């Protein structure tokens, strides 16, 4: 591709997918701090967000037309299957944040960006909710002197607003994935190892899910075991998803023919809901728990993860190279920022 981005320290922050569900939430937050340039395949859809600080332009990542812009930073809130946004930003030495990749694409992005020897920060912040889980886990691990075991439990509100990309993980449910368990590699089957967990006062049945923090936390903070599980506010949705796993839908029904059925199990966005997740960390100094709740929903919480990422790559002292959200200094200070933005974090 011949995309050409150029670094302009006084220019706008480019938000790829800036008028999608997460992109819109991020736009509303970030426009208070920087001028913005929103891109996507259908710029007319973003016209309601345009004003003197927010511009909207076409950049269709599935089409060959080159894109050019002068920007101070780039954040991707859409899938970038051919790494066009990543490549263009790294080649130009522009600070970059990504909040949308599943684990295998994080590993590819890590490899690609490292080989390109970036001259600006590259933050791969695709842990659940824009890296919020990573940051919370790192903060709790500091309190107990390390992380022998990290358990993340997500309560997915089926009434919440959600973009189509938010359920792309459903197409990974037919693939076993590798995690660290007791410091050694272990292969896990999706939607296995179910358990009941109290998440913000809701008794929720949760099961294993492939997420990037299970890959990064052992590398960055030395976690011995990391397990992320997901459950749903609707027991019917949980039962349907587990039943689909039992009959093998995600293996024999992995093609385009069965995509509507797979998506229908999760993608029925409503008028809004509350995002809840729980993080438990066990270390040498004991166990710590944090329950994170955002009354504005999962898109808003993910957008806050992206906003924290922009602060990291544009902040004083930001260094060139590839890093993950839990690698930032003083992760506890990041939690304080989340609370100042209306997120509730209950610790025990």
């Amino acid at each position: 591709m011949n995309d050409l981005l150029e670094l302009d320290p006084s220019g706008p922050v480019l938000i790829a997918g800036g008028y999608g569900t997460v992109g819109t939430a991020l736009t509303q937050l970030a426009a208070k701090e920087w001028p913005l340039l929103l891109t996507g395949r259908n710029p007319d859809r973003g016209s309601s967000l345009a004003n003197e600080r927010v511009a909207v332009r076409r950049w269709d990542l599935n089409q060959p037309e080159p894109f050019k812009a002068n920007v101070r930073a780039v954040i991707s809130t859409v899938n970038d299957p051919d790494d066009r946004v990543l490549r263009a930003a790294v080649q130009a030495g522009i600070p970059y944040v990504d909040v949308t990749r599943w684990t295998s694409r994080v590993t590819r992005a890590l490899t690609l960006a490292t080989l390109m020897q970036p001259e600006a920060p590259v933050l791969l912040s695709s842990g659940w909710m824009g890296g919020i889980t990573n940051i919370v886990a790192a903060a709790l691990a500091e309190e107990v002197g390390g992380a022998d075991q990290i358990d993340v439990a997500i309560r997915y509100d089926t009434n919440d607003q959600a973009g189509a990309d938010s359920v792309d993980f459903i197409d990974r449910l037919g693939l076993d994935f590798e995690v660290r368990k007791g410091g050694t590699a272990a292969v896990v089957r999706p939607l296995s190892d179910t358990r009941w967990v109290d998440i913000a006062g809701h008794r929720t049945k949760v099961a294993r899910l492939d997420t990037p923090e299970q890959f990064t936390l052992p590398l960055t903070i030395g976690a011995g075991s990391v397990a992320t599980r997901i459950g749903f506010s609707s027991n019917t949705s949980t039962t349907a998803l587990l039943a689909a796993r039992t009959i093998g839908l995600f293996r024999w029904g992995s093609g385009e023919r069965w995509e509507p059925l797979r998506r229908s199990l999760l993608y029925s966005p409503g008028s809004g809901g509350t995002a809840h997740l729980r993080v438990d960390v066990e270390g040498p100094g004991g166990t710590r728990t944090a329950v994170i709740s955002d009354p504005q929903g999962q898109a808003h919480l993910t957008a806050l993860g992206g906003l924290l990422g922009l602060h990291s790559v544009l902040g004083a002292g930001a260094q060139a190279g590839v890093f993950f959200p839990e690698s930032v200094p003083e992760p506890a200070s990041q939690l304080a920022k989340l609370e100042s933005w209306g997120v509730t974090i209950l610790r025990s």
Side-chain angles (χ1 to χ4, degrees), residues 27-105:
T27 294
Q28 293 168 344
L29 293 165
K32 301 173 185 177
E33 304 190 42
W34 308 284
L36 303 178
L37 171 59
L38 315 184
T39 66
R41 69 180 70 176
N42 299 304
D44 288 345
R45 291 178 52 195
S47 59
S48 63
L49 298 172
N51 55 45
E52 65 276 4
R53 288 180 59 81
V54 180
V56 183
R57 290 179 53 194
R58 175 183 168 86
W59 188 6
D60 187 343
L61 301 179
N62 294 316
Q63 297 299 322
E65 290 85 2
F67 179 82
K68 297 181 180 182
N70 295 356
V71 298
R72 75 174 71 193
V74 174
I75 179 167
S76 180
T77 67
V78 293
N79 285 325
D80 183 16
D82 296 315
D83 299 309
R84 285 182 65 175
V85 182
L86 171 64
R87 290 177 185 272
V90 174
Q91 286 174 346
I94 296 171
Y96 172 85
V97 181
D98 195 310
V99 298
T100 57
R101 294 173 183 265
W102 56 71
T103 309
S104 62
R105 288 190 175 175

Side-chain angles (χ1 to χ4, degrees), residues 90-129:
V90 174
Q91 286 174 346
I94 296 171
Y96 172 85
V97 181
D98 195 310
V99 298
T100 57
R101 294 173 183 265
W102 56 71
T103 309
S104 62
R105 288 190 175 175
V106 168
T107 59
R108 188 181 71 189
L110 171 62
T111 303
L112 174 62
T114 301
L115 290 173
M116 293 180 71
Q117 299 180 330
E119 298 179 357
V122 174
L123 173 58
L124 302 179
S125 194
S126 293
W128 193 263
M129 297 298 174

